[in-house]
């Protein structure tokens, strides 16, 4: 029978149960994305955010409310990815500020915590939109405040708040027309409701099933005691036979990625070989990433929960600690070097785009974009690597700006300037227009002004049927997506790309830049360039190898 207060132990169970339910529903939530594009989005971002906190929460043996609040807040803030993940982390941040000083939570404390969570999240977004996760959170907070004066029964309270949250979620298409067009509810709001429903299951003591490969359990009852301490179940080892450039920056990026999916990480590089060791719940992710650098050999995956390889775990932990110490020594050595005045960080994906940014003197590249939004922790690691007094960050994706701004607020020893570039072409234009003699404020304003002149189009394929922006789109169709809407649709890449280009070019257009992706052959790109020049002879057109995945072409018009 449920009790009418929540102590730290019960809140820990509820939080982990909420995280587990969100993880199990992430692919379904991804499918609620308005644009039917093949990239990791809301469900993935929210799951990675909450799992970052869940790892810290799970590591607490006998938590107090204060230690639990800190683990939830810190873990989610640093692990936040994408707009939905950052907003979720801010909801947790506000909630934990309210509960960290109490010993137990009742309906009145919870109602105040919900109110503070919503206020904190709204403040974090420069232009809050209704019909989103914020609306759903506010709806539940308002209902919680009302109910706190009527009942002390937490079960009734939670169930009623969640029922009201579902009702608010169902109304999000009325508030945001683009949701109504796509025939979906807000995906971020849906993700929040899954967390709430999982937490309720944890409160009621329902058995929380562990999905295959899930990174955590809901409590000791869910798994065997010996396994409970093993957060990541597969010891994964292999050697990369390098076939592409692999320098120190690449190694740090790879290590950061492995850190986002596991622990006990050891990377040993030797000329054209890299030996990799990681404990993870999804060896496939580590392998897929490693294949970007070369072919693999001597692959070995052991199930540590099944085989209880204690020596392996201890040895790996020692190696990981040794490498951690070496990394710290490198950081100290770098910090001892004289700081330069200005540094640049850009988010990029694709061999060609990376080279373009390097040619523009970008100090550190964070791999990511629409296919994988970097976390706040990724941003903080990049900031740490750039030894400069003032650092400009170019997110190059609208779903990464909030994570960059969150990292800015968490940095104390350097001035961070987040230039809100929403696309790679905007980021390139912004960097080109940097003027050393101007102040950071003046440069940011000038860059934003120049970015406003850039139109961006992207060509990809649809992963599901939908009706949007006047187009009837079928799974597998090619789409040309502009800055705000779909501008072209067809069955083949080239004609759809030309249709997109025509929709973007107007009488003021002076320069078209075309970046072709990893799935487009150079000869195909040259042919597209030729037809684009015939179609728009009055405009200068440049062709570049971008190497980006998923998007056949990224096109900018200035």
């Amino acid at each position: 029978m449920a009790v009418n207060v929540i102590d730290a132990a019960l809140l820990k169970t509820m939080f982990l149960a909420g995280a587990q339910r969100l993880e199990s529903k992430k692919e379904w939530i991804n499918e609620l994305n308005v644009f039917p594009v093949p990239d990791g989005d809301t469900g993935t971002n929210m799951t990675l955010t909450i799992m970052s906190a869940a790892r810290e929460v799970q590591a607490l043996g006998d938590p107090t409310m204060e230690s639990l609040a800190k683990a939830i807040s810190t873990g989610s803030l640093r692990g936040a990815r994408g707009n939905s993940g950052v907003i979720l982390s801010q909801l947790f941040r506000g909630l934990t500020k309210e509960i960290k000083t109490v010993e137990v939570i009742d309906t009145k404390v919870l109602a105040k915590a919900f109110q503070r969570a919503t206020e904190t999240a709204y403040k974090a977004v420069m232009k809050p939109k209704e019909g989103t996760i914020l609306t759903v959170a506010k709806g539940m907070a308002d209902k919680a405040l009302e109910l706190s004066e009527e009942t002390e029964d937490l079960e009734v309270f939670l169930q009623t708040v969640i029922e009201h949250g579902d009702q608010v979620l169902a109304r999000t298409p009325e508030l945001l027309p683009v949701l109504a067009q796509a025939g979906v509810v807000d995906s971020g709001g849906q993700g929040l409701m899954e967390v709430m429903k999982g937490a309720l299951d944890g409160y009621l003591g329902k058995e929380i099933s562990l999905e295959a490969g899930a990174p955590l359990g809901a409590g000791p009852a869910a798994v065997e005691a010996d396994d409970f301490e093993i957060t990541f179940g597969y010891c994964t080892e292999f050697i990369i036979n390098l076939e592409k450039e692999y320098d120190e920056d690449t190694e740090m990026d790879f290590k950061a990625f492995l850190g986002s999916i596991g622990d006990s990480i050891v990377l040993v590089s030797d000329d054209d070989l890299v030996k990799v060791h990681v404990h993870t719940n999804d060896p496939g992710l580590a392998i897929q990433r490693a294949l970007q650098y070369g072919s693999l050999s001597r692959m070995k995956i052991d199930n540590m929960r099944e085989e209880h390889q204690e020596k392996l775990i201890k040895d790996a932990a020692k190696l990981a600690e040794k490498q951690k110490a070496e990394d710290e020594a490198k950081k100290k050595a770098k910090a001892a070097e004289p700081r330069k005045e200005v540094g640049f960080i850009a988010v990029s994906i694709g061999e060609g785009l990376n080279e373009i940014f390097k040619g523009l003197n970008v100090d550190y590249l964070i791999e990511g974009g629409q296919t994988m939004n970097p976390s706040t922790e990724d941003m903080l690691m990049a900031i740490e690597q750039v030894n400069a007094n003032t650092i400009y960050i170019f997110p190059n994706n609208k779903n990464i700006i909030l994570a960059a701004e969150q990292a800015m607020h968490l940095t104390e020893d350097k001035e961070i300037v987040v230039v809100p570039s929403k696309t790679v072409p905007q980021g390139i234009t912004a960097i080109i227009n940097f003027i050393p003699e101007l102040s950071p404020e003046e440069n940011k304003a000038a860059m934003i002004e120049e970015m406003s002149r850039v139109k961006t189009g992207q060509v990809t394929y649809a992963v599901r049927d939908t009706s949007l922006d006047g187009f009837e789109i079928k799974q597998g169709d090619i789409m040309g997506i502009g800055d705000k809407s779909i501008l072209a649709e067809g069955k083949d890449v080239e004609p759809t790309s030309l249709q997109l280009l025509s929709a973007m070019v107007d009488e003021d257009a002076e320069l078209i830049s075309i970046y072709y992706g990893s799935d487009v052959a150079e000869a195909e790109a040259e042919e597209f360039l030729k037809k684009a020049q015939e179609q728009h002879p009055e405009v200068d057109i440049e062709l570049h190898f971008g190497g980006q995945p998923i998007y056949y072409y990224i096109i900018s018009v200035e």
Side-chain angles (χ1 to χ4, degrees):
M1 183 174 178
V3 293
N4 285 330
V5 292
I6 299 169
D7 62 13
L10 180 54
L11 183 60
K12 174 182 176 180
T13 298
M14 292 172 66
F15 184 80
L16 295 179
Q20 184 59 49
R21 176 162 177 134
L22 177 61
E23 198 279 338
S24 70
K25 300 283 187 178
K26 68 180 178 185
E27 293 304 331
W28 172 58
I29 294 169
N30 280 342
E31 291 174 5
L32 296 175
N33 188 29
V34 170
F35 288 108
V37 293
D39 50 40
D41 37 28
T42 305
T44 300
N45 287 332
M46 293 184 76
T47 297
L48 289 170
T49 299
I50 200 170
M51 287 306 179
S52 175
R55 285 194 289 273
E56 295 199 24
V57 168
Q58 194 176 40
L60 297 173
D62 185 18
T64 62
M65 200 67 79
E66 185 177 8
S67 66
L68 188 58
K70 183 178 180 182
I72 292 171
S73 179
T74 302
S76 59
L77 281 172
R78 297 182 76 90
R81 295 173 188 265
N83 291 346
S84 54
V86 171
I87 292 171
L88 181 64
S89 74
Q90 290 294 323
L91 288 169
F92 288 146
R93 182 184 179 211
L95 183 140
T96 54
K97 280 184 177 179
E98 195 65 40
I99 66 169
K100 67 181 180 181
T101 57
V102 304
E103 291 187 8
V104 293
I105 299 169
D106 58 16
T107 57
K108 284 185 167 53
V109 171
L110 199 51
K112 288 180 182 177
F114 282 4
Q115 288 288 324
R116 191 159 182 178
T118 303
E119 290 167 5
T120 303
Y122 266 87
K123 286 178 183 176
V125 181
M126 187 172 293
K127 295 180 181 178
K129 277 186 180 180
E130 296 303 333
T132 66
I133 181 176
L134 291 170
T135 306
V136 177
K138 188 176 186 301
M140 287 192 287
D142 290 344
K143 176 58 73 172
L145 192 62
E146 174 190 322
L147 284 172
S148 67
E149 300 298 325
E150 300 174 3
T151 182
E152 295 180 354
D153 188 324
L154 265 171
E155 182 176 345
V156 171
F157 177 91
L158 289 168
Q159 286 179 335
T160 307
V161 167
I162 288 171
E163 287 171 5
H164 185 72
D166 277 337
Q167 292 168 12
V168 175
L169 177 65
R171 293 198 297 271
T172 53
E174 299 171 18
L175 300 171
L176 209 54
V178 69
L179 296 175
Q181 277 191 60
V184 296
V185 297
D186 179 66
S187 53
Q190 185 70 65
L192 180 60
M193 293 312 304
E194 297 309 320
V195 173
M196 291 291 296
K197 290 172 184 178
L200 177 60
D201 286 345
Y203 173 77
L204 296 175
K206 292 184 179 180
E207 183 177 352
I208 310 299
S209 62
L210 263 175
E211 301 291 334
L216 51 91
V223 290
E224 294 297 321
D226 287 345
D227 290 342
F228 189 65
E229 296 302 319
I230 303 175
T231 305
F232 298 99
Y234 295 96
C235 176
T236 306
E237 295 179 287
F238 51 81
I239 288 175
I240 307 175
N241 304 296
L242 293 174
E243 297 168 0
K244 294 184 178 179
E245 182 182 353
Y246 185 88
D247 55 19
E248 187 175 330
D249 287 344
T250 307
E251 181 170 301
M252 292 301 293
D253 288 345
F254 186 30
K255 192 179 293 183
F257 173 77
L258 293 176
S260 73
I261 64 168
D263 63 11
S264 296
I265 299 156
V266 179
L267 292 183
V268 180
S269 306
D270 181 21
D271 295 331
D272 56 353
L273 296 176
V274 180
K275 182 173 174 55
V276 180
H277 174 282
V278 62
H279 292 174
T280 178
N281 286 309
D282 196 335
L285 289 176
I287 290 168
Q288 186 177 11
R289 179 60 167 261
L291 285 168
Q292 294 183 14
Y293 311 123
S295 60
L296 308 184
S297 61
R298 299 187 188 178
M299 300 173 68
K300 181 171 173 284
I301 300 174
D302 294 307
N303 187 329
M304 295 186 295
R305 291 192 178 97
E306 187 176 277
E307 299 180 14
H308 303 280
Q309 297 182 36
E310 295 181 10
K311 185 176 184 304
L312 179 69
I313 297 169
K314 289 176 182 176
D315 289 348
K318 286 179 182 177
L319 280 170
E321 283 301 316
K322 181 181 177 183
Q323 187 155 65
K324 184 178 179 182
E326 291 174 354
D327 288 345
E328 287 298 324
K330 285 182 182 179
K331 289 176 186 175
K332 287 180 181 178
K334 196 158 193 173
E337 296 174 2
R339 274 193 183 181
K340 58 182 184 176
E341 280 304 311
V342 177
F344 299 99
I345 295 171
V347 179
S348 175
I349 189 165
E351 184 182 342
L353 293 175
N354 291 349
E355 288 304 314
I356 290 170
F357 280 116
K358 288 176 183 177
L360 294 172
N361 297 317
V362 170
D363 297 274
Y364 193 97
L365 291 172
I366 302 174
E367 187 167 345
Q370 193 65 11
T371 52
M372 174 56 75
N373 297 154
S375 67
T376 299
E377 179 73 22
D378 294 331
M379 295 286 177
L380 290 170
M381 288 181 64
I383 289 168
E384 192 173 349
Q385 291 297 311
V386 178
N387 195 18
N389 291 322
T390 302
I391 300 173
Y392 292 80
I393 300 179
F394 303 89
N396 299 333
N397 187 292
K398 64 181 180 180
N399 210 30
I400 301 174
I401 294 171
L402 279 181
E405 290 176 343
Q406 191 150 277
M408 175 185 69
H409 293 307
L410 292 171
T411 302
E412 298 178 353
D413 63 333
K414 299 172 183 176
E415 182 177 3
I416 307 301
V417 180
V418 177
V419 181
S421 52
K422 296 180 179 179
T423 65
V424 166
Q426 283 189 358
I428 291 171
T429 295
I431 296 171
I432 289 172
N433 284 279
F434 170 76
I435 301 174
E437 291 75 24
L438 297 182
S439 69
E441 295 77 14
E442 290 170 331
N443 260 309
K444 181 176 179 179
M447 289 174 179
I448 291 173
E449 175 66 25
E450 291 301 325
M451 290 191 309
S452 69
R453 309 180 200 281
V454 179
K455 297 178 185 177
T456 304
Q458 301 178 91
V459 182
T460 187
Y461 58 93
V463 294
R464 66 172 187 272
D465 296 354
T466 191
S467 177
L468 195 62
D469 297 327
F471 293 97
E472 290 296 326
I473 298 166
K474 300 297 181 184
Q475 182 177 346
D477 281 359
I478 306 301
M479 300 180 297
I481 304 173
D483 288 313
K484 296 181 180 179
S485 62
I486 295 175
L487 300 177
E489 179 269 340
K491 301 297 181 184
D492 299 300
V493 172
E494 186 179 277
T496 306
S497 301
L498 290 169
Q499 183 185 349
L500 170 65
L501 192 55
S502 290
M504 294 172 64
V505 173
D506 58 23
E507 60 184 14
D508 296 323
E510 297 177 353
L511 174 65
I512 297 170
S513 299
I514 300 170
Y515 306 88
Y516 64 95
S518 57
D519 293 326
V520 178
E522 184 177 359
E524 293 174 323
E526 292 284 358
E527 183 62 25
F528 174 56
L529 171 64
K530 181 180 176 182
K531 292 184 178 178
Q533 289 170 330
E534 292 171 355
Q535 185 173 283
H536 303 284
E538 73 288 356
V539 185
D540 291 334
I541 305 179
E542 298 177 350
L543 179 68
H544 306 275
F545 171 59
Q548 70 273 5
I550 293 179
Y551 292 87
Y552 301 108
Y553 292 105
I554 296 174
I555 301 170
S556 70
V557 177
E558 302 176 54

